[in-house]
Structure formats: structure tokens, C-alpha cells
Amino acid sequence: MFPRDFAWGAATSAYQIEGGWQADGKGPSIWDTFCHEKGGVFGNQNGDVTCNSYELWEKDLECIQQLGLTHYRLSLSWARLLPDGTIRNVNQKGVQYYNRVIDDLLACNVSPMVTLYHFDLPQAIQNLGGWKSPGVATLFDSYSKFCFQTFGDRVKLWITINEPHVCARLGHEVGIHAPGLKEKGTTAYLVGHNMLRAHAMAWHSYNSEYRATQKGAVSLALNSDWFEPLDPLRHEDVASAERDLAFTLGWFAWPVFITGDYPELMRSAIETQSKMTGYSGNWRLPRFSKEDPPVLGTADFFALNYYTSRKVKSGGCCGQMLSMKRDLDAEEVLDPSWPISGVSWLAVVPHGLRKLLKYIKDVFNNPTIYITENGFAQAGPLQIEDVERCKFYRSTISEVVKAIEEDGVNVRGYFAWSLMDNFEWADGFSVRFGLFHVDFSGAELSRTIYRSGREYSKIISKYKSAQSGCQGFLDDDY
Ligand code: GBH
């Protein structure tokens, strides 16, 4: 059974839904730049308008109410609030917009979970070196304090940074996300480091300046697949799966939850490759400095974004050049029994979530966990009757039930990705994750509930009424 105050949510992010990219004094972000430069996104699409939530927020609120959510996870656009990234210049229209969103949610009895950073760095800060530059951490801290000060009287659940792993790797190593850098084997580690420094500073600011009065909780959202050895009897495969977990989840979770430093496995794998390739520069994986506030202990809960799983075997790499892939030295494969959703990377593996939750419980000291994203993609011809996604949500949520009841994992909330179809980064509008369909070809951008939206709202209301003792829920199939 779910705890009484379990959070039933859906999530979105600013760049993916807001549009209004230049409205009312908003500054440009790196995603504005990345899309406008063309070549990086499916069909040269962009988030200039997308769901236009900047103007159509009431429509989103209607969707939220129709689902019966208790929580809504949104992100703030840093450049909408602070057009040049600094608190020297505050855009009051941006403040008004988010005040209204937050107030409307609370008026409808929906609690906001607010992410400060979901991939959309102000371009002005990118021009100073972006996440590569150490100074970004202090700028992020100032922005965070500004947000705590402005919205923290009403917002009690904060995520500082969404998926530092994706931002570091896809943005700076692979180059398919903004800012589009392909500086292999070095920059992603530096960027990840500065993101951890930025997160830790913001957490300490909240802790010392706002916690006592605002009484909220702050974490960072970490994405990870569940990785398991292709052949559990092969030592190399077991070690590869462990390395993959260390390089994905451990990279950020070890410093914050266990040791204040990166996983030993990760450090040694990187050092080995540095030696093998004759790399003579500084540590590629930076050291934490005593000058910075400590990173250990800077999360009030564990925020997990889970989408899929991989089988892992050894090898799979790859020339003489340094790269993260080479450091990782593991090859990920799909199990042929796993159905694939509308995007090739998203194999449907609900039981992987249960295993990952148990792993987090065991390895990271039984934290309170919020599943801050989980979802299923549709592509190709539109299906409002999306039965596959219905099945996906039903079986995923039943895996969460097992994690809670049988494995004793302390899961406190579940957020579906996403409230509605939106701008899916490099895939543009070709991939749809919504519980509501958005008609991007019509001027109204009308929102229509998918069958999976109905299904999710049924699940929510069943559990809610079971909790209040009105009715059992196990009589049905979820
Ligand atoms: C989330 O990341 C994001 O937080 C969210 O904004 C996004 O809309 C949602 O996923 C759906 O994609 O291109 O083959 O290298 C999820 C974690 C990790 C999933 C990177 C896609 C890229 C695979 N993502 N992965 S590939």
C-alpha cells in the first residue's frame, strides 16, 4: 500500500513546454541557441512556441485537475527570471508568471515540486564558459537563493539540477544536447563536477538561510537505467554492470549520499585509461576541494528518473582516443524479450525499476525516494487509445507497490513524464511522452487526454480512496 501522503504527480520542464522564448523580457538560453543554429534537432524544430504554456497555463491546470494529481513537477526558466543569468537584473514578468502558476496549483490543492535547472542555461552564462567554468556554481547559488526567497514560502519540494549526467554527457561529450560540445573524455567530468559544486552550494544556502522558516526539502534528480550483467556467471559482465551503475548513478549519488567523493570504481577506471592512452594532463575526474562546501549530505531525499534497463557485457570500445565510453569499457545490449516503445532507447522494463529502487535502498542508506520521472514514448501515427502506454503505467506502478511492500523501499512519490506531449529535445516533436496529446499543428494547441491519462487518473483515485479506507484496491488488476 502507498503511504497516506504519497505524491501522485506528473512532470514537465520549462523549455519543453513554455514557449514564449522572447516574451516579456526573457533572455535566451542555450537551448534557444542550439535549436536556432539548426542541424541538431529533428526537422530543425525548436521550443519557440511548443505547448505555449507561458500563455496557456490555465489549460495545463485543467489537465492537472482532470488527472487528480496531488503534485505537479515543473521547472523554472533561469533566463526568464534572470535574463542575463545574474540577480543584477530581475524580470518581474517572469516572477509574476511563476507566482501565478504556484498560486493556482496551491489553490487547487496541488503541491508544486520545482526544479531550478532542467537543461536550459542562460546563454549569457554559456558565454562565460557555461558549466565548464568554476564560476557557474556561484551564479547558480545566487539564482537558487533568489528562487528560495521568492517562491519558497509556497514551494516545499525543490530539485536543484535535473539529470546532471545527461547534461554533462549529452551536452558536452556526445554533443546531441545544448551546448553541443563533443570534447570527449574530459569536459563531461568537469561539467559534472561543477554541477555537483553548484548543487551543494544551493543546498547549503537553503539549509542555513531558508530551511528553518520555509521547512522544505531539497535534492537533485538523478537518472539511471537499471544495469545487470548479460551473463551473471561471467565475472567480466558482472564487473561491467557494476561499472555502468557507478558511471551513471554513482557518479553523482556517491558524492552526495555516501562518501563525498566519486565512486572508487569510476576513478580507477578513468585513471587506467589515462595511463593506457598516455594522457598527461591533470586528473580528468576532478578532486573535491576543501575550499568548497561539502557535497556529502546535500540531499534531503533521493530523486530518481527511471526509464529503462540494459544488459551489460564487457568490451565494446573503441579506438585510441580518450572518451567516456572508453573509460566505461562496457557494452550495453537489450534483452530481446523487452518490448521497445516509440523511441529506440526506451525498452519497456518495469521490473528494472523495482530492482533499481532496492539497489538504492541498499547502497544509499535507505533514503526517502521520489520517482521524479518515468514514462513511455509514442512515435509514428497518433494513437489516442494508447493501450501500450496504459499497460506500461499499470505494470510500472505495480512494481513500485512491490518495492514498497515486499522490499521495504521508502518510496514517497511517483511523477509520470509527462503531463502532456512536448518538445522532446533532439527528437523535437516526433516523440510524444504526454498523458495529454497536444495538437502542435493547430493554433489552439489543444490538449486532449490519452487513454493512458484516464488510466493514470483511475489508478490515482483508486489508491486515494483505498487510503482513506473507502474501498480496497487489490480487487482490480492493479
Ligand atoms: C528525461 O531524461 C529528461 O529529463 C526529460 O526532459 C525528457 O523529456 C525525458 O527524459 C524523455 O526523454 O539518445 O540513445 O544517447 C531521461 C534520461 C538519458 C533518456 C539519455 C535518453 C539518451 C539515449 N535520458 N537517453 S541516446
Side-chain angles (χ1 to χ4, degrees):
M1 175 52 85
F2 289 97
R4 185 163 273 284
D5 55 351
F6 194 81
W8 288 105
T12 58
S13 89
Y15 186 75
Q16 294 179 275
I17 66 161
E18 284 179 3
W21 78 283
Q22 285 184 307
D24 297 336
K26 176 185 167 292
S29 82
I30 56 174
W31 269 94
D32 294 314
T33 309
F34 187 74
C35 294
H36 293 156
E37 268 166 8
K38 307 213 186 302
V41 174
F42 172 87
N44 288 324
Q45 293 169 337
N46 58 58
D48 290 3
V49 180
T50 177
C51 309
N52 197 14
S53 293
Y54 188 64
E55 290 180 323
L56 301 178
W57 156 246
E58 288 96 342
K59 301 281 172 217
D60 301 355
L61 185 60
E62 283 169 22
C63 299
I64 291 166
Q65 289 183 283
Q66 196 177 340
L67 294 177
L69 303 180
T70 64
H71 287 66
Y72 177 57
R73 176 173 177 234
L74 68 145
S75 85
L76 308 181
S77 160
W78 185 345
R80 190 180 296 292
L81 289 165
L82 310 178
D84 67 6
T86 75
I87 52 170
R88 285 196 296 272
N89 173 11
V90 176
N91 176 23
Q92 287 305 331
K93 293 281 181 144
V95 175
Q96 278 165 26
Y97 174 65
Y98 294 117
N99 270 334
R100 183 157 164 235
V101 169
I102 292 164
D103 290 343
D104 286 353
L105 286 169
L106 292 173
C108 297
N109 217 2
V110 176
S111 304
M113 174 187 272
V114 172
T115 304
L116 294 172
Y117 183 77
H118 197 124
F119 304 169
D120 51 349
L121 195 72
Q123 183 60 43
I125 298 185
Q126 187 62 41
N127 297 345
L128 304 173
W131 288 108
K132 284 169 74 169
S133 140
V136 69
T138 7
L139 292 169
F140 180 78
D141 184 38
S142 304
Y143 161 58
S144 302
K145 286 194 275 195
F146 168 79
C147 295
F148 299 147
Q149 178 78 45
T150 311
F151 307 114
D153 54 337
R154 289 152 294 155
V155 174
K156 302 302 160 190
L157 287 169
W158 292 99
I159 300 291
T160 54
I161 294 177
N162 182 68
E163 300 186 346
H165 178 274
V166 168
C167 183
R169 187 172 149 269
L170 297 189
H172 301 80
E173 164 99 11
V174 183
I176 61 172
H177 275 200
L181 301 183
K182 299 179 183 171
E183 302 175 355
K184 295 207 183 297
T186 51
T187 300
Y189 298 128
L190 177 60
V191 162
H193 193 70
N194 284 328
M195 293 191 125
L196 276 171
R197 292 176 54 244
H199 158 78
M201 280 187 196
W203 185 90
H204 282 284
S205 294
Y206 190 83
N207 200 44
S208 55
E209 295 170 43
Y210 300 97
R211 187 188 298 283
T213 49
Q214 298 186 348
K215 303 185 167 56
V218 182
S219 187
L220 76 177
L222 303 182
N223 62 293
S224 188
D225 301 348
W226 170 245
F227 299 105
E228 59 188 27
L230 180 62
D231 178 351
L233 300 176
R234 276 195 82 211
H235 168 74
E236 291 85 354
D237 291 7
V238 174
S240 301
E242 278 170 8
R243 256 198 323 280
D244 225 340
L245 273 165
F247 270 80
T248 311
L249 191 61
W251 182 2
F252 300 97
W254 265 53
V256 171
F257 290 92
I258 320 193
T259 58
D261 196 5
Y262 298 111
E264 283 143 37
L265 255 182
M266 190 179 174
R267 208 177 266 295
S268 62
I270 293 171
E271 283 320 304
T272 304
Q273 295 305 327
S274 288
K275 285 206 192 89
M276 282 180 54
T277 54
Y279 175 81
S280 57
N282 279 333
W283 302 109
R284 287 189 291 135
L285 191 61
R287 303 264 158 184
F288 287 96
S289 157
K290 296 246 170 349
E291 315 291 298
D292 285 329
V295 179
L296 182 61
T298 60
D300 302 318
F301 56 92
F302 201 111
L304 173 71
N305 295 354
Y306 170 82
Y307 285 89
T308 190
S309 295
R310 293 287 184 268
K311 301 269 180 176
V312 188
K313 59 181 183 173
S314 64
C317 212
C318 58
Q320 280 310 299
M321 298 289 283
L322 281 175
S323 67
M324 283 188 73
K325 193 159 180 7
R326 192 191 166 97
D327 294 332
L328 171 61
D329 186 26
E331 191 178 347
E332 298 171 358
V333 294
L334 295 173
D335 187 301
S337 74
W338 296 339
I340 305 291
S341 74
V343 275
S344 57
W345 59 265
L346 208 169
V348 177
V349 198
H351 68 263
L353 174 57
R354 177 180 176 188
K355 292 188 178 171
L356 186 55
L357 289 169
K358 175 72 163 59
Y359 174 87
I360 291 169
K361 177 191 175 193
D362 294 343
V363 174
F364 301 107
N365 283 324
N366 195 17
T368 296
I369 303 175
Y370 284 85
I371 299 159
T372 38
E373 286 180 28
N374 172 255
F376 176 98
Q378 194 181 100
L382 170 66
Q383 275 178 281
I384 288 287
E385 296 296 314
D386 54 345
V387 279
E388 289 307 311
R389 195 191 270 133
C390 291
K391 279 201 274 182
F392 168 88
Y393 277 116
R394 253 188 276 137
S395 56
T396 304
I397 290 166
S398 78
E399 293 296 329
V400 178
V401 172
K402 288 184 221 164
I404 295 173
E405 292 185 345
E406 295 174 38
D407 305 336
V409 184
N410 187 7
V411 186
R412 290 281 282 278
Y414 175 87
F415 291 75
W417 183 272
S418 172
L419 178 66
M420 60 193 161
D421 293 343
N422 58 47
F423 177 77
E424 178 51 23
W425 308 116
D427 289 326
F429 298 101
S430 68
V431 168
R432 295 186 292 267
F433 271 93
L435 294 165
F436 282 78
H437 171 256
V438 177
D439 177 15
F440 293 107
S441 60
E444 314 274 282
L445 294 165
S446 51
R447 283 81 159 134
T448 309
I449 195 163
Y450 284 108
R451 182 169 176 160
S452 57
R454 290 220 172 76
E455 185 77 20
Y456 186 47
S457 89
K458 270 200 314 208
I459 295 174
I460 296 175
S461 68
K462 279 208 160 230
Y463 279 115
K464 276 192 196 160
S465 57
Q467 277 159 358
S468 59
C470 304
Q471 173 200 353
F473 64 94
L474 291 168
D475 50 338
D476 223 342
D477 50 351
Y478 38 81

